[in-house]
Amino acid sequence: YRTRGHSKAQVEIVEGDKPGDPGVVFLINEGEKNRILWTKFVGNTIAGDDRLRTQIQSKPGFLWIFKGEVNREVIDEDVNRLVAYYRGLGFLRARVGRELSHDVARNWVVLTFVIDEGPRYQVRRISTVGNEVIKSSDLTTDLKLREGQHFNDLAMKTDVANIQEQYGS
């Protein structure tokens, strides 16, 4: 029930918790369904709120009616997605937390992601080791990642793929 937005769901065993009981009877009170009213971000400086919303799955539903249920597992995955996004931009010590503010009267939740970007790392030096077939200067001429630039995981992966392509050809 909680994964489907019913954060106040209660389940009680009415019958069947004793060794001689022939069956089980549950009393279920689903409670009201909580939905996400809005997602906010605090502490972000490198990326705007709109950009960060593209990285997460926990969002208000269509017209705030369809979808948008509060799912704690998805929120935890969103925290991991945001950490991976920041680390890919060179914030290798980034940390992300989350905070849920409940509006009890209307069963809405405002989801706030609290971001500590930490320091942004730069590339100090790029070197190749163990290459005998192709010269280092030929391998590093077309690299996307450059010394002195901020680390970028996508650029590094692109460079690795290009170097593998040079060896493959």
Side-chain angles (χ1 to χ4, degrees):
Y1 280 98
R2 288 192 174 99
T3 61
R4 294 177 183 226
H6 296 274
S7 64
K8 295 182 181 179
Q10 296 176 340
V11 178
E12 294 180 41
I13 299 176
V14 176
E15 188 178 306
D17 58 345
K18 295 175 184 62
D21 291 341
V24 178
V25 177
F26 293 102
L27 176 63
I28 300 171
N29 179 0
E30 294 179 346
E32 293 292 322
K33 183 180 272 196
N34 286 333
R35 295 187 186 277
I36 297 173
L37 177 66
W38 193 245
T39 52
K40 296 185 342 184
F41 301 90
V42 176
N44 52 315
T45 60
I46 194 73
D49 291 3
D50 293 335
R51 175 67 180 129
L52 293 178
R53 278 189 194 95
T54 66
Q55 303 297 312
I56 62 172
Q57 299 295 316
S58 301
K59 301 175 189 177
F62 179 68
L63 298 176
W64 290 277
I65 297 173
F66 305 105
K67 299 279 186 185
E69 293 93 6
V70 175
N71 184 334
R72 305 242 181 214
E73 291 173 4
V74 174
I75 293 171
D76 290 340
E77 291 170 9
D78 288 340
V79 167
N80 293 336
R81 283 185 195 98
L82 290 171
V83 168
Y85 174 74
Y86 271 97
R87 289 189 178 158
L89 294 176
F91 294 94
L92 303 180
R93 293 186 187 173
R95 296 180 304 161
V96 177
R98 62 183 175 44
E99 188 177 289
L100 292 113
S101 305
H102 294 273
D103 180 354
V104 179
R106 292 182 294 206
N107 295 312
W108 289 106
V109 172
V110 175
L111 175 59
T112 305
F113 290 98
V114 182
I115 300 167
D116 176 14
E117 294 175 344
R120 190 171 190 189
Y121 288 82
Q122 292 181 334
V123 177
R124 180 185 309 159
R125 185 171 41 104
I126 298 174
S127 60
T128 57
V129 178
N131 51 311
E132 296 175 10
V133 177
I134 302 174
K135 293 189 291 186
S136 293
S137 59
D138 293 338
L139 290 175
T140 59
T141 53
D142 295 328
L143 294 181
K144 304 283 184 222
L145 201 58
R146 300 271 182 207
E147 293 177 2
Q149 288 181 339
H150 292 291
F151 175 80
N152 185 305
D153 190 52
L154 180 61
M156 181 188 68
K157 288 178 180 176
T158 302
D159 291 342
V160 168
N162 288 338
I163 290 172
Q164 287 175 337
E165 178 65 28
Q166 287 181 36
Y167 271 97
S169 64

